[in-house]
Amino acid sequence: MKKSLAILTSIALLSSSVFASDNVVTSPSNSQVAVQKASAEHIQQLVYTAQDKRQGDDIRADALRQLARYPNQSSLVAVARALKDESATIREAAVIGTDPYQFEHRWRIVAPLLQDSSSRVRITATTSLIRDYSSMSSEQQNAIEPAYQELLTYLKSQPDTDSVLLLADVYRWHQEWGKAQTLYENLLVKTPNNVQVWLSVADNLRAQGKDTEALNSLGRAIELQPQAANLHYSKALTLVRLDKKAQAAAAIEKAAKLAEDNSYFWYLNGVLQEPIDIAKSVQSFEQAYLISGAPEQLYAVCDIYVRTNNDQAEQCLAQLEEIAPAYVIEKLKYKQG
């Protein structure tokens, strides 16, 4: 059980094409290479635009928000610089740009904005950091409390559904489970088909260790929205926590098929299918890589090839060797014996 949860935690950090039914991972096509090159150029352009003070605030802010989808060292440098910009619009957008980075790094660069001169910057910074309240030290929790109260005051003044949902989520992150649940239940009365509310309800119950209740809630949600891939994904995570691995594998397979091009779901399907159906597991890892082209997912393909003595193991290792450090290759070859 603990091992399964550790795997789920680690793959949450992964980035998210053809399907090779004969278990062969093909090299990227010319079109794939062109797309990857264009993507790299696009990221560099966003980094440049975000830091170009000749551009208007709206243009720079848009670039900073887009950088949240492309976390790397250059993006982080651009975002960190923008957090100190004289423009509140830029600082607020930069906070959004920090979203994909680990909490310890985000706290260090975003926490100063909890006392920003702009209320909207303070609110955005608080929303960004409060999600990790359970990971904060007591000193950090004390430091964010005044900003948290300000965020509550603001959200309570907003009557729209999105703000009410965010208020409920903020209560949940702050570990005020009862207040969160009350708001979620009110929202479900008004918007029973709102998938995001059902997902938040499940998260609220899981956070309290009420996994069976979370599973029952997700079952009701799936009856209402059977084609919502994220509901099946959430169900899979809950089933893993309940140590129902076969059912978890069935749920994540459903999520992957519904989402189709979500490489993360296919990767997780590979993880959960491995002890049940190795062929299905291998195909899922392949599908994840061929959708995303991510080096981490190519590693997963090579890893399972090596561990299952697949005929394509050497070919995969040669492909991985072009982009991975030597010690990574050595580690995989060691598994070959």
Side-chain angles (χ1 to χ4, degrees), residues 9-311:
T9 300
S10 65
I11 63 177
L13 302 176
L14 291 174
S15 302
S16 247
S17 179
V18 291
F19 187 82
S21 58
D22 59 350
N23 293 347
V24 177
V25 175
T26 59
S27 298
S29 65
N30 290 337
S31 61
Q32 286 176 307
V33 171
V35 168
Q36 291 171 2
K37 181 179 179 181
S39 178
E41 293 175 350
H42 177 59
I43 296 170
Q44 281 304 113
Q45 183 59 51
L46 290 174
V47 168
Y48 178 80
T49 301
Q51 299 178 86
D52 184 3
K53 295 192 175 184
R54 295 172 299 179
Q55 303 290 340
D57 283 359
D58 289 343
I59 294 175
R60 293 180 61 203
D62 181 63
L64 287 162
R65 287 189 290 267
Q66 289 191 58
L67 285 176
R69 293 155 45 196
Y70 308 107
N72 63 27
Q73 189 61 38
S74 297
S75 298
L76 180 57
V77 168
V79 167
R81 288 175 176 170
L83 289 170
K84 301 177 181 179
D85 197 272
E86 60 185 16
S87 167
T89 299
I90 299 300
R91 296 197 302 277
E92 181 183 16
V95 172
I96 296 171
T98 68
D99 278 354
Y101 302 100
Q102 293 183 352
F103 170 68
E104 60 182 294
H105 302 306
R106 286 192 298 111
W107 177 268
R108 187 173 64 252
I109 59 179
V110 174
L113 275 63
L114 295 174
Q115 301 179 31
D116 195 87
S117 59
S118 166
S119 61
R120 75 174 191 267
V121 173
R122 293 196 302 272
I123 287 170
T124 304
T126 307
T127 304
S128 172
L129 295 175
I130 199 67
R131 294 173 303 168
D132 295 284
Y133 185 81
S134 63
S135 300
M136 293 180 187
S137 65
S138 58
E139 291 80 9
Q140 289 171 329
Q141 290 178 347
N142 289 335
I144 204 173
E145 192 63 23
Y148 168 70
Q149 294 300 329
E150 180 184 22
L151 175 60
L152 292 184
T153 299
Y154 169 75
L155 290 175
K156 289 176 181 178
S157 70
Q158 307 300 309
D160 61 285
T161 298
D162 288 343
S163 294
V164 175
L165 177 55
L166 179 55
L167 175 60
D169 288 340
V170 167
Y171 277 135
R172 169 166 58 87
W173 296 325
H174 198 253
Q175 302 178 349
E176 297 181 71
W177 323 118
K179 291 181 179 179
Q181 189 66 26
T182 297
L183 289 178
Y184 290 139
E185 289 174 359
N186 291 339
L187 285 169
L188 287 177
V189 171
K190 297 176 180 178
T191 58
N193 291 315
N194 190 323
V195 170
Q196 188 54 56
V197 177
W198 284 107
L199 291 170
S200 292
V201 167
D203 286 341
N204 195 47
L205 292 168
R206 282 200 302 262
Q208 300 172 75
K210 299 179 180 179
D211 295 305
T212 299
E213 291 183 39
L215 184 61
N216 292 337
S217 178
L218 288 166
R220 295 195 299 273
I222 289 171
E223 288 179 1
L224 293 170
Q225 296 281 19
Q227 301 303 306
N230 283 337
L231 290 174
H232 294 278
Y233 162 70
S234 184
K235 180 180 178 180
L237 297 187
T238 305
L239 287 165
V240 167
R241 291 172 66 93
L242 290 168
D243 205 22
K244 297 182 178 182
K245 298 177 182 177
Q247 294 179 46
I252 195 60
E253 182 177 17
K254 180 71 172 179
K257 289 180 177 178
L258 285 171
E260 294 185 355
D261 60 354
N262 187 314
S263 64
Y264 170 69
F265 286 1
W266 283 109
Y267 182 95
L268 181 53
N269 191 48
V271 173
L272 295 182
Q273 295 293 345
E274 184 172 348
I276 300 168
D277 186 332
I278 193 65
K280 188 177 289 185
S281 174
V282 169
Q283 290 178 342
S284 295
F285 282 128
E286 292 173 343
Q287 181 74 337
Y289 170 64
L290 291 170
I291 289 171
S292 71
E296 298 92 338
Q297 293 179 354
L298 176 59
Y299 174 89
V301 174
C302 294
D303 179 62
I304 199 166
Y305 278 180
V306 167
R307 289 187 288 106
T308 58
N309 297 314
N310 190 290
D311 291 340

